[in-house]
Amino acid sequence: MGKILMKGCEAIAEAAVLGGCRFYAGYPITPQNELPEYMSVRLPEVGGDFVQGESEVASINMVYGAATVGTRAMTSSSSPGIALKSEGISYLSGANLPALIVNVSRGGPGLGTIQPAQSDYLQATKAMGHGGFRMIVFAPYSLQEAVDLTYNAFDYAERDRNPVLILIDGALGSIKELVELPPMKELPTEQAKWQLGNPTGEKRVARMLTSIYPEAGLETLNRTKGEMAVAWGENDVMVEEFLLDDAEYVVVAYGIAARVAKEAITGLREKGVKIGMIRPITLFPFPKGSFRKLDYGKVKAFIDIEMTVPAQMRDDIALEVLDRAPIYEYGRSGGVLLDDDGVLEAIEKVLEGEA
Amino acid sequence: MKNTLLVGGSGGQGVMSVGTMLAESAAENGKYATFMPVYGPEQRGGSARCTVIISDDEIMSPLPKKVKTLIAMNEQSYKKFINELEEGGILVMNSSRVTSTVAREDIRIVSLPADDIALETGNIRNANIVMIGAYLASTGAMDPAEFMKSLEHKFKNKPEVIEQNRKALDKGAEIGKQTS
């Protein structure tokens, strides 16, 4: 199949279906309505089910229900809607259930704005709900990458029995560009040992899934989840290291911000500036290794570029860089988009020692 | 070559649809393309804008500060977006609706009464196609004939629509060519 022009939200929806999604529940919110709209037509075509819930809370709990019987289930929303779902996402993790959550983020806090922003980094990577659980967070920067990551998201979720988050901003959600779609994935034919329901009718011990641990057991779960997150850091980090070999200046950016930054970096390289970029593709686990292997005798400064103010990823950068080089930040926020000139000027200020 | 285009107009003037058609057609012709809509909270009658980038190479940033070409479908969008046109850029303006005198002297202007032409060629709703004809012919972003092929494919079950579009596109391209 060749490349076709698709809209971000629709490309993610299609990739989820191709990756095995057979249940979607959600509640409308801009700028991600094209995703449920697409699902409402597409899922019935493949024998799946689409539900527009009466609220975000209802929707995430329907996803919980579908996940208990082994159906690949997802929901999507935008920032304030994701916040409403956070309790249910925590319950998913607490009950060891796989699911796919997509946040097409917009400006905040509060109802904020319907325009795009990258203001949910901290929520996504530190505390997507109460109780101290973590999730793998994918942050694609192109629609092709969004398709590829979404397509495989259920494999991670089922391997870990934990929800997975895809975080993109509203601009990538509404942009149209070329994507190549993968083939439809074969769904697992055998029921996993934890899944509810008894399709074959065999005699077996009753199964239970819950996120409440009235007696012992919760600490064990906490330990297991903690070890799982450490293992992600060893095995599942995804990062693009762009022109880092001789870099004196290192931009750190993800998603839409990384695209604008890459354009600026390419231009500056043509002028002989030794500049490169670390682009986290998994925001959690954070690509610590890319910072550890830098030659700090050479690196003069880091520039954190995010479409949010103040920068949020900066804390994670600082934990790796410590005081070995200064970290500057540049961003736009509140629904104002980054643009080529603004990003280039911000980088040039750092180069000229004026930041 | 990388062509950045901003199309501005009011809801209902076919800004989004023509932007999408252009990006789709560029993609069908082996180019890279991105289409970026910006919706306000308004719908019909509100302002609508989109950015279309057509390039021979993979497109990195979809967020240029300034564009090489501005298609202004009406007065409001002309006023709102004229300063987003880069120096030496091309303004393609619908003189049926843009009433301002253009003050900038550092740009090239392709002015045509797209509403009137669309009406003459069969349907006032094709003003956006007239403008695209002028845009393609004056910038060389793509061969208007290639764009027409995409329209033929898109409307293959509506021959009368194809003919109206062809006339609108040709007329726009004719005017665009004179100023290229």
Side-chain angles (χ1 to χ4, degrees):
Chain A
M1 194 170 171
K3 290 190 172 184
I4 51 169
L5 197 76
M6 279 188 100
K7 185 171 226 180
C9 281
E10 295 172 352
I12 288 177
E14 180 61 33
V17 170
L18 296 173
C21 180
R22 292 296 179 270
F23 180 81
Y24 176 102
Y27 187 78
I29 183 171
T30 305
Q32 61 85 56
N33 287 322
E34 294 88 340
L35 206 162
E37 183 190 24
Y38 189 95
M39 282 302 204
S40 69
V41 176
R42 185 71 174 114
L43 275 173
E45 289 177 358
V46 293
D49 292 292
F50 168 89
V51 181
Q52 180 175 316
E54 68 268 39
S55 69
E56 283 84 355
V57 175
S59 303
I60 190 68
N61 283 290
M62 289 180 202
V63 168
Y64 181 111
T68 60
V69 294
T71 301
R72 292 187 169 175
M74 77 176 283
T75 189
S76 65
S77 191
S78 182
S79 309
I82 290 289
L84 287 166
K85 284 172 178 159
S86 66
E87 180 199 48
I89 300 171
S90 173
Y91 277 51
L92 281 163
S93 183
N96 294 312
L97 286 170
L100 172 60
I101 320 289
V102 178
N103 181 0
V104 185
S105 66
R106 60 189 240 180
L111 265 181
T113 170
I114 62 167
Q115 310 297 348
Q118 292 184 306
S119 301
D120 295 345
Y121 177 93
L122 289 172
Q123 179 203 43
T125 59
K126 311 297 178 201
M128 191 57 260
H130 66 281
F133 71 97
R134 295 294 180 103
M135 302 165 73
I136 291 182
V137 181
F138 293 114
Y141 90 143
S142 68
L143 295 196
Q144 187 62 57
E145 204 167 76
V147 163
D148 297 342
L149 293 169
T150 306
Y151 185 61
N152 293 320
F154 286 108
D155 299 331
Y156 288 89
E158 285 172 3
R159 179 196 69 182
D160 298 333
R161 294 182 61 188
N162 201 58
V164 165
L165 179 71
I166 303 238
L167 178 64
I168 64 163
D169 76 292
L172 284 180
S174 50
I175 201 172
K176 284 187 183 178
E177 63 186 12
L178 290 169
V179 294
E180 188 163 3
L181 295 168
M184 181 74 82
K185 254 184 205 183
E186 295 279 328
L187 292 172
T189 48
E190 281 193 23
Q191 194 187 32
K193 288 200 164 36
W194 55 267
Q195 285 165 2
L196 305 188
N198 192 351
T200 56
E202 64 180 292
K203 260 187 157 229
R204 59 165 169 74
V205 179
R207 293 170 183 176
M208 187 175 74
L209 286 165
T210 180
S211 76
I212 188 166
Y213 299 80
E215 290 158 17
L218 184 54
E219 189 184 42
T220 309
L221 177 94
N222 295 148
R223 278 188 205 286
T224 311
K225 294 252 164 192
E227 286 159 13
M228 191 167 79
V230 172
W232 293 339
E234 286 158 11
N235 306 317
D236 298 318
V237 169
M238 288 186 198
V239 62
E240 180 188 359
E241 296 171 351
F242 182 61
L243 304 175
L244 281 183
D245 286 349
D246 61 344
E248 294 173 353
Y249 297 90
V250 178
V251 171
V252 191
Y254 72 92
I256 188 91
R259 285 178 72 146
V260 184
K262 209 173 199 178
E263 182 103 16
I265 291 166
T266 308
L268 288 164
R269 274 278 169 184
E270 283 166 16
K271 291 183 192 165
V273 179
K274 290 180 176 170
I275 184 165
M277 175 166 68
I278 295 173
R279 176 173 74 87
I281 299 169
T282 49
L283 299 183
F284 193 89
F286 192 67
K288 298 176 179 178
S290 301
F291 292 87
R292 289 179 186 167
K293 68 187 185 200
L294 289 173
D295 177 356
Y296 285 86
K298 232 188 293 183
V299 176
K300 291 178 182 162
F302 288 83
I303 310 153
D304 175 10
I305 298 174
E306 299 178 56
M307 205 155 73
T308 189
V309 176
Q312 299 187 10
M313 185 166 58
R314 184 184 181 129
D315 298 352
D316 286 328
I317 300 168
L319 276 173
E320 300 310 316
V321 174
L322 302 172
D323 56 359
R324 289 180 288 188
I327 301 165
Y328 299 95
E329 64 181 62
Y330 174 74
R332 297 305 302 264
S333 189
V336 182
L337 303 185
L338 290 169
D339 65 67
D340 292 351
D341 293 10
V343 167
L344 183 62
E345 277 164 29
I347 296 173
E348 281 174 340
K349 262 190 183 175
V350 173
L351 301 179
E352 288 154 16
E354 288 167 11
Chain B
M1 198 155 78
K2 184 174 163 182
N3 280 283
T4 50
L5 166 70
L6 194 168
V7 189
S10 68
Q13 281 192 299
V15 167
M16 299 303 181
S17 61
V18 84
T20 301
M21 281 191 265
L22 194 59
E24 278 171 356
S25 180
E28 283 164 17
N29 287 291
K31 290 181 185 286
Y32 289 93
T34 61
F35 163 82
M36 176 85 111
V38 177
Y39 296 98
E42 322 95 344
Q43 292 180 340
R44 188 169 296 276
S47 75
R49 68 173 285 182
C50 66
T51 309
V52 180
I53 306 178
I54 298 173
S55 174
D56 296 325
D57 305 307
E58 200 175 347
I59 297 160
M60 202 31 70
S61 170
L63 304 175
K65 172 87 173 175
K66 297 208 166 177
V67 292
K68 285 185 175 162
T69 312
L70 167 64
I71 294 181
M73 294 292 295
N74 65 0
E75 174 72 11
Q76 189 194 14
S77 61
Y78 162 77
K79 282 186 177 158
K80 207 168 167 184
F81 303 125
I82 185 65
N83 290 325
E84 293 192 34
L85 184 60
E86 68 182 34
E87 219 182 290
I90 302 172
L91 167 68
V92 184
M93 68 176 209
N94 177 7
S95 60
S96 306
R97 286 176 187 251
V98 180
T99 49
S100 290
T101 313
V102 181
R104 286 183 63 172
E105 288 176 354
D106 60 342
I107 55 172
R108 195 147 63 82
I109 300 163
V110 180
S111 175
L112 66 168
D115 282 22
D116 301 328
I117 294 169
L119 204 56
E120 281 164 25
T121 53
N123 190 342
I124 193 165
R125 289 175 62 197
N126 289 337
N128 56 353
I129 302 294
V130 175
M131 296 291 275
I132 286 300
Y135 161 70
L136 293 177
S138 61
T139 60
M142 204 168 69
D143 184 351
E146 300 289 347
F147 183 71
M148 194 57 228
K149 265 189 220 158
S150 302
L151 289 182
E152 281 168 13
H153 180 69
K154 194 178 174 73
F155 297 113
K156 57 176 179 260
N157 298 323
K158 297 178 182 170
E160 75 287 357
V161 173
I162 292 176
E163 270 328 294
Q164 285 175 354
N165 274 294
R166 188 193 311 284
K167 283 181 194 161
L169 189 77
D170 286 352
K171 194 74 195 163
E174 202 179 293
I175 296 169
K177 214 182 287 171
Q178 291 161 11
T179 49
S180 67

